[in-house]
Amino acid sequence: MAEAFKKLKSLRGRSLDELRVRGAQALAARAERRGLSRQARIPTDAEFLKLLDTEFLKTLDADSFKSLNAGSSNLADVLLEHFRRRASHNFFASFADTQATLAAWRRHTKHSQEKLIERAQRIAEGK
């Protein structure tokens, strides 16, 4: 009983929007633990095919595409064959332009390094 009052007391002063979001998160977590969440389930081949980028589907030959849509082919086999035959071997599109990716990474880490050093200096100064 005391635990329930403690939880209710912690909710005091929260906005209705925060309570709504926290409630939705709690329900989603409970559904996931019980296996009721769509996000926790492994999709079927047909569901996974719908999630794939249409650019990938355009690269499939006609027979592979037809057999996937008919459900007569194993998606894993088709994907494996696609990855073996593809012309570009970059999994992530952002890595296609190495220089641009490195420049963005350096900009991001430089900012992070500066902030980290500033925080460490403030800690050392006791602030």
Side-chain angles (χ1 to χ4, degrees):
M1 184 82 164
E3 187 66 31
F5 281 125
K6 194 176 185 180
K7 284 186 179 186
L8 284 173
K9 203 173 182 182
S10 71
L11 296 176
R12 195 170 53 197
R14 306 282 188 241
S15 71
L16 189 59
D17 192 45
E18 182 179 357
L19 292 174
R20 180 190 57 79
V21 169
R22 287 179 183 247
Q25 289 172 341
L27 286 173
R30 182 165 284 169
E32 190 172 320
R33 279 194 297 271
R34 296 186 192 272
L36 301 173
S37 170
R38 290 192 72 207
Q39 295 175 345
R41 286 188 237 141
I42 297 174
T44 64
D45 282 358
E47 291 169 336
F48 184 72
L49 191 58
K50 289 177 184 175
L51 296 173
L52 288 177
D53 185 4
T54 56
E55 291 302 313
F56 162 75
L57 296 175
K58 289 177 188 175
T59 65
L60 294 176
D61 59 56
D63 292 333
S64 296
F65 187 76
K66 285 178 190 174
S67 64
L68 278 178
N69 281 334
S72 62
S73 182
N74 184 356
L75 180 60
D77 293 336
V78 173
L79 284 172
L80 179 62
E81 185 60 29
H82 164 74
F83 284 118
R84 286 182 174 158
R85 288 185 299 147
R86 65 189 174 158
S88 171
H89 294 288
N90 288 331
F91 189 77
F92 297 104
S94 62
F95 294 148
D97 186 354
T98 308
Q99 295 307 315
T101 302
L102 283 172
W105 181 77
R106 286 183 179 125
R107 280 192 308 273
H108 174 73
T109 56
K110 181 180 180 194
H111 181 69
S112 298
Q113 288 172 351
E114 290 170 356
K115 282 191 166 237
L116 181 64
I117 291 169
E118 287 173 16
R119 289 178 68 194
Q121 287 174 338
R122 285 196 308 267
I123 291 170
E125 294 168 0
K127 297 180 183 176

